[in-house]
Amino acid sequence: MRAVPCIIWYCIPVHADHLRGQPEKAMNQIDHYAIRGGIEGRERLALLAAIFAGTTAQLLDMADIPRGAHCLDAGCGGGDVALDLARRAGPSGRIVGIDLDETKLEIARAEAVAAGAAIDYRAADIAAPLPGPFDVV
């Protein structure tokens, strides 16, 4: 399988440099997150995902995600891009979504189950070692 390097979206907590490699401290800084956390944050991310759905689809089309790809959605938020990746990678693919906000991750897990997608959502700091290797990040 060929590697498909692709940056989908990059969003980190504001002023997070001092938290790199310290996931427990980073998880406690959720109120400094660039996008509001919890249910309100998930609703905002769902709206943004709907607004940018066409652009996201074009980007993923250009990335040409192969069936069976191992993909990482770093800073996955509500999991909308992870769901798109899962549709493209198919049942033989492996999708991991990481984010600091456990509330958003719980909602994303439920939405993935409802969509029939097997996505591994994890609460983690994107500066920590990643559970790779991945074909697409």
Side-chain angles (χ1 to χ4, degrees):
M1 176 184 302
R2 67 183 173 81
V4 182
C6 181
I7 302 288
I8 302 299
W9 186 295
Y10 189 67
C11 179
I12 61 171
V14 177
H15 307 296
D17 289 338
H18 67 285
L19 301 173
R20 296 212 183 281
Q22 301 177 55
E24 14 351 282
K25 286 185 182 177
M27 301 267 222
N28 291 330
Q29 297 297 315
I30 207 76
D31 19 320
H32 297 289
Y33 207 39
I35 295 179
R36 184 179 305 230
I39 294 171
E40 288 178 3
R42 173 60 190 124
E43 290 170 355
R44 181 174 295 162
L45 288 173
L47 176 62
L48 288 172
I51 291 168
F52 291 108
T55 304
T56 301
Q58 288 176 342
L59 177 65
L60 294 176
D61 287 345
M62 287 187 297
D64 193 25
I65 310 298
R67 301 299 267 176
H70 290 197
C71 306
L72 173 67
D73 185 356
C76 67
D80 298 292
V81 173
L83 279 169
D84 289 340
L85 289 168
R87 288 183 197 103
R88 291 163 185 269
S92 61
R94 175 176 170 251
I95 313 302
V96 176
I98 60 172
D99 199 90
L100 292 175
D101 189 334
E102 185 60 48
T103 301
K104 281 188 215 147
L105 292 173
E106 287 176 25
I107 296 167
R109 287 181 191 109
E111 291 175 356
V113 167
I119 301 172
D120 179 8
Y121 288 109
R122 301 178 186 192
D125 177 0
I126 63 171
L130 301 173
F134 295 98
D135 304 307
V136 179
V137 174

